[in-house]
Amino acid sequence: MFVYVLATLRIISLGAIIFLRMGDSKPFKDEYKRVLLNVENQPELEEKIKILKNFVNTHSQNKITAKAEEKIKEIQNIIYQTTMDDADKLCINNEYEKAVVVYTEYLKKYPTGNYSSLIRHKINEISLIIDKRDYDELLKLSQDNNIDRVYSYAQYLEKHPKGQHIDEVEQLVLDMAEEYYTFFSKEINKCENQENWEKCFQLCSTYINIYPKYKRTDEISSLRDYFLNKLRDKRTLAKLIKNAEQKG
């Protein structure tokens, strides 16, 4: 039994030595050189990584596959640095939204990569900058009497659902409630007199979107249903007229 076990261990050891030396064999090295040549001919960095990963995954672990894995890390570092450089250039030009897109695209490709946490941190930093910039713009608008400023407030709330200035902007919207209702009533009268039911419906929908929980919202919701029925009647009538004309 002892002799049998000893012989088995020797076979295993010999196999391990052969396995390790396979990475140093000329055919294996030549194959890796061909892979590297193919990698160099690829214009896209992602394609280079794909080829190298395929080489690593289809061969047993050895010195050559270790080199391939190091090569993969080098290319990933290049991709990361390129992403950072592109985003930094955009930030210098105050194109923060575009920078976020660059970072987001990186995360889509490498959601669990070595740099994913750093990229997420960058996105968070830029989001705070965008939030402050947009809020500062709203403060400038608040000094204006133009009714359109309420739409800018609503856009901020939609764009920054977790923004740092949500409470302040919601208060700005609320402060304009009666002013906007006066504007809304005048516009409704105009389009109703013109029987422009589509515009009436849109005005109601816009009001409800801006003031979903205001005291007049139920009233305007019912008004919107009324205009929707008018709009359906109008479209039904138009369809009937068209059918009648087609039939002479």
Side-chain angles (χ1 to χ4, degrees), residues 22 34 74 95 195:
M22 281 180 63
R34 289 193 295 272
E74 289 177 11
E95 297 179 281
E195 295 188 357

Side-chain angles (χ1 to χ4, degrees), residues 28-232:
F28 196 76
K29 286 182 177 179
D30 290 342
E31 181 185 356
Y32 182 57
K33 286 180 181 179
R34 289 193 295 272
V35 169
L36 286 180
L37 182 62
N38 188 17
V39 167
E40 291 300 322
N41 291 331
Q42 299 302 320
E44 298 296 330
L45 294 175
E46 286 82 2
E47 191 61 30
K48 294 176 187 287
I49 291 176
K50 184 178 178 181
I51 293 170
L52 287 167
K53 281 187 175 181
N54 181 63
F55 175 80
V56 171
N57 294 334
T58 54
H59 293 80
S60 301
Q61 186 97 23
N62 54 61
K63 293 179 180 179
I64 299 298
T65 57
K67 288 182 180 180
E69 289 174 340
E70 285 299 318
K71 189 71 175 176
I72 290 171
K73 289 179 181 178
E74 289 177 11
I75 298 173
Q76 287 175 336
N77 289 340
I78 293 172
I79 293 173
Y80 167 73
Q81 195 56 55
T82 301
T83 299
M84 296 294 289
D85 292 342
D86 291 344
D88 286 344
K89 289 176 184 177
L90 291 168
C91 288
I92 289 172
N93 295 324
N94 297 325
E95 297 179 281
Y96 298 111
E97 283 84 358
K98 290 183 180 180
V100 170
V101 170
V102 170
Y103 285 135
T104 303
E105 288 299 318
Y106 179 92
L107 284 180
K108 285 181 181 177
K109 293 177 181 177
Y110 311 102
T112 59
N114 295 333
Y115 302 105
S116 58
S117 60
L118 290 173
I119 294 294
R120 289 188 179 90
H121 180 69
K122 277 290 185 180
I123 291 175
N124 186 57
E125 282 184 343
I126 295 176
S127 297
L128 292 175
I129 294 173
I130 294 172
D131 186 7
K132 185 179 184 306
R133 179 204 63 191
D134 291 349
Y135 179 66
D136 289 343
E137 290 296 323
L138 293 185
L139 291 181
K140 295 176 184 177
L141 291 175
S142 64
Q143 302 171 9
D144 192 356
N145 290 325
N146 191 333
I147 197 70
D148 288 344
R149 71 186 188 278
V150 74
Y151 304 132
S152 298
Y153 298 156
Q155 286 172 358
Y156 171 90
L157 295 174
E158 182 178 355
K159 184 178 179 181
H160 304 282
K162 297 182 180 179
Q164 292 183 305
H165 306 283
I166 289 291
D167 293 341
E168 296 96 317
V169 177
E170 285 180 344
Q171 187 59 50
L172 289 172
V173 173
L174 193 60
D175 291 343
M176 285 190 65
E178 289 305 311
E179 180 184 356
Y180 187 73
Y181 180 75
T182 301
F183 163 80
F184 166 82
S185 299
K186 290 178 180 178
E187 292 299 309
I188 283 291
N189 287 334
K190 287 180 186 177
C191 65
E192 195 169 11
N193 290 334
Q194 297 169 357
E195 295 188 357
N196 188 345
W197 310 124
E198 186 170 359
K199 185 177 180 181
C200 288
F201 178 80
Q202 290 174 347
L203 284 167
C204 292
S205 296
T206 301
Y207 186 99
I208 293 169
N209 287 335
I210 296 174
Y211 295 101
K213 298 178 181 179
Y214 193 57
K215 61 184 180 181
R216 299 185 186 276
T217 302
D218 290 342
E219 165 199 340
I220 294 172
S221 182
S222 298
L223 192 60
R224 183 176 66 171
D225 292 340
Y226 167 77
F227 290 131
L228 179 60
N229 289 329
K230 285 285 188 181
L231 186 58
R232 285 171 176 165

